[in-house]
Amino acid sequence: PKTDIVFLKVHKSASSTVMNILFRFGETHNLTFAFPRGGGFQLYYPHHFLARFVHGFSPESPRRFNILCHHMRFLQPEVQKVVPSSAVYFSILRNPVQLMESSFVYYKGTSAFSRVRSLEEFLSQPYRYYNPTSGDRHYARNLITFDFGFNPDGDVSPGRVQLMLKAIEASFDFVLISEYFDESMVLLKELLCWDLDSVVSFPLNTRDSSTRSTLSASAVEKLKEWNRLDWEIYRHFNRTFWERIERAIGRERMRQEVAALRARQAELARTCLQGTGSVAPKDIKDASLRPLQYGGARILGYNLKQGLDQELERTCRRLVTPELQYSSLLYKKQFPPPPP
């Protein structure tokens, strides 16, 4: 199994669920994580990543970590200073239309969105609300492009788009697609030589449907145009994703693997969870399993069954522990506080 990993956590793209998979794998195999200095949750995002943002890194005695997966704005030369040269690089993308609809609800307080009632109102005259010089502009335009380290307000000429795609392909071994999450996990398992249980998951950091809005066809087109760089990245990697599946696995075996993954997840859900799945934040009984509520979204969570045996309780709890709590737990394990 591959144990040296860089995961670029692109916002609002099922990346919290992928992070849970990496946290569990790292914890099980006693791997080290490149944590933000001081134990925060982002690597000084939205600044470009620098090695010195990582807790325990020093230029005099560079220390390598197995897994780098916290939010960062990608900058490969700096990333290479904190992970082994053998590290596998991957990321996950989401359709920019749904991504921006989600971003609008989640980051409603940002400068570009705070003065509009709806995403459609923003799209009707975006430059009235969007300021390319504001520090939080990236949440409102080409967020994927920004997370990969490029300029979200950059030129959209075919030549520049090609350069950007080539740069991403040169840095990343593969890119997953969140709309095909189960297929993505099978591909991840295959390319990292992991077993099935390493890639099972329950969806984390998802919001309830009451805050989701359906966009008109004209808004969708405006959105694609406004996020043209993101759209080009997504289209390209959506295509190469299926080409990779044909090459690495084949459609028939992929169908079988996805069925096995879903069956195992259903079995774990029956074993671990009260009820049929996720619940509203107010209904989560164990406060330590309550996800951070942010922006205008209501982030769902889970209740575990009572009376599970110790080993099973631990497995189930890890599957549903929200990102911030899990990160804190692993940070304290890796950097134990000095005894009083």
Side-chain angles (χ1 to χ4, degrees), residues 11-300:
H11 285 77
K12 316 312 307 154
S13 303
S15 52
S16 294
T17 309
V18 176
M19 208 164 169
N20 177 272
I21 288 169
L22 296 175
F23 280 166
R24 287 180 359 240
F25 186 86
E27 187 181 20
T28 306
H29 294 83
N30 233 357
L31 304 177
T32 55
F33 289 88
F35 284 108
R37 278 173 64 175
F41 303 110
Q42 300 198 342
L43 289 153
Y44 291 77
Y45 187 88
H47 298 286
H48 272 109
F49 176 80
L50 295 174
R52 63 183 169 83
F53 296 163
V54 172
H55 192 106
F57 174 85
S58 86
E60 294 75 51
S61 56
R63 180 180 170 190
R64 307 284 182 192
F65 300 87
N66 299 114
I67 299 177
L68 174 60
C69 62
H70 286 73
H71 266 312
M72 64 170 160
R73 188 173 183 207
F74 190 67
L75 187 61
Q76 190 163 16
E78 289 289 316
V79 168
Q80 286 167 332
K81 294 176 185 176
V82 297
V83 294
S85 57
S86 59
V88 177
Y89 288 66
F90 78 99
S91 187
I92 188 164
L93 301 181
R94 181 183 185 185
N95 185 316
V97 174
Q98 279 75 48
L99 186 144
M100 189 161 177
E101 189 273 325
S102 175
S103 190
F104 179 77
V105 174
Y106 208 77
Y107 302 113
K108 187 71 179 73
T110 58
S111 57
F113 294 151
S114 58
R115 291 181 295 135
V116 292
R117 284 184 303 274
S118 67
L119 186 51
E120 307 228 349
E121 187 182 339
F122 172 81
L123 291 166
S124 66
Q125 27 184 180
Y127 279 112
R128 186 175 164 192
Y129 310 105
Y130 177 83
N131 177 357
T133 63
S134 74
D136 59 6
R137 77 189 193 285
H138 51 284
Y139 292 120
R141 187 177 202 190
N142 290 315
L143 183 50
I144 296 171
T145 304
F146 184 87
D147 285 355
F148 273 95
F150 303 105
N151 177 7
D153 295 300
D155 162 34
V156 296
S157 67
R160 185 176 178 280
V161 166
Q162 280 311 307
L163 280 174
M164 188 171 66
L165 295 175
K166 282 194 166 64
I168 296 171
E169 288 196 314
S171 300
F172 288 83
D173 296 289
F174 55 98
V175 175
L176 305 173
I177 302 290
S178 70
E179 281 81 10
Y180 304 105
F181 192 79
D182 292 343
E183 290 83 354
S184 289
M185 292 308 99
V186 170
L187 193 58
L188 185 69
K189 168 176 94 74
E190 199 69 16
L191 297 172
L192 298 180
C193 307
W194 289 6
D195 63 8
L196 182 69
D197 268 15
S198 297
V199 298
V200 298
S201 62
F202 297 144
L204 295 175
N205 205 30
T206 55
R207 61 195 167 114
D208 74 351
S209 51
S210 69
T211 59
R212 292 176 200 271
S213 57
T214 312
L215 298 168
S216 67
S218 73
V220 167
E221 288 314 310
K222 282 179 190 162
L223 216 154
K224 285 180 190 172
E225 203 42 53
W226 176 248
N227 294 288
R228 180 68 188 283
L229 294 171
D230 277 11
W231 184 247
E232 295 294 344
I233 293 173
Y234 178 77
R235 265 185 9 156
H236 174 80
F237 286 103
N238 192 3
R239 192 181 70 247
T240 58
F241 175 75
W242 293 103
E243 289 168 1
R244 172 63 73 97
I245 283 173
E246 292 286 3
R247 261 198 332 272
I249 301 174
R251 296 278 172 132
E252 187 42 49
R253 201 177 123 228
M254 174 55 89
R255 268 196 291 276
Q256 294 163 5
E257 295 268 359
V258 165
L261 178 65
R262 287 177 181 163
R264 180 67 180 129
Q265 282 172 179
E267 182 190 349
L268 279 165
R270 285 192 300 272
T271 306
C272 296
L273 304 179
Q274 285 181 31
T276 52
S278 51
V279 296
K282 64 176 174 47
D283 299 322
I284 300 167
K285 299 185 182 84
D286 181 341
S288 71
L289 296 179
R290 201 168 289 145
L292 173 75
Q293 301 300 310
Y294 196 85
R298 283 202 318 187
I299 308 299
L300 305 173

